[in-house]
Amino acid sequence: QVQLVESGGGLVQAGGSLRLSCAASGGTFSTMGWFRQAPGKEREFVAAIGWSGTNTYYADSVKDRSTISRDTPKNTVFLQMNSLKPDDTAVYYCAARSGSPVATMTAYDYWGQGTQVTVSS
């Protein structure tokens, strides 16, 4: 049974940083990614990373402030977010798929339960 478990969310002041983690079990995946959903908004793509760790893909809204990485042997993906803004407040979801990194939510087969990130102004 595949499980994706996120951690690392919390409350942070604007300008601060957070590092989210997602541990996968029950399978290995070519691509792991992060999405987020703010209150009243649709879930949106944040970042994704391929198997080797060198193929990365970011949403424009975070690409200059974030780094996605993975520890493939440990089946774990990380999202380092810096210079956080109140607009980054959302539930952050880890997702996984076979195939290359893409931003399309429906392309991902497995999802975690999410971790809340709240950025105060």
Side-chain angles (χ1 to χ4, degrees):
Q1 181 180 358
V2 174
Q3 277 193 314
L4 304 178
V5 180
E6 302 97 336
S7 60
L11 174 63
V12 63
Q13 288 189 331
S17 300
L18 277 178
R19 188 186 193 218
L20 305 181
S21 301
C22 172
S25 60
T28 55
F29 309 99
S30 300
T31 289
M32 296 185 75
W34 290 93
F35 289 74
R36 67 185 182 186
Q37 188 166 16
K41 295 187 178 181
E42 294 188 351
R43 195 170 298 188
E44 65 176 7
F45 172 74
V46 177
I49 187 168
W51 179 262
S52 68
T54 59
N55 187 7
T56 57
Y57 185 18
Y58 295 92
D60 288 343
S61 59
V62 304
K63 65 181 179 180
D64 295 329
R65 305 183 287 122
S66 301
T67 303
I68 189 170
S69 60
R70 69 188 294 174
D71 183 338
T72 301
K74 294 185 178 180
N75 224 3
T76 302
V77 65
F78 306 96
L79 181 68
Q80 175 71 41
M81 299 188 68
N82 303 317
S83 301
L84 284 161
K85 307 173 183 178
D87 284 350
D88 294 318
T89 295
V91 177
Y92 283 71
Y93 296 91
C94 178
R97 70 183 298 267
S98 299
S100 58
V102 296
T104 307
M105 188 172 65
T106 54
Y108 289 78
D109 302 304
Y110 302 99
W111 292 84
Q113 293 299 306
T115 185
Q116 176 71 47
V117 172
T118 302
V119 184
S120 63
S121 57

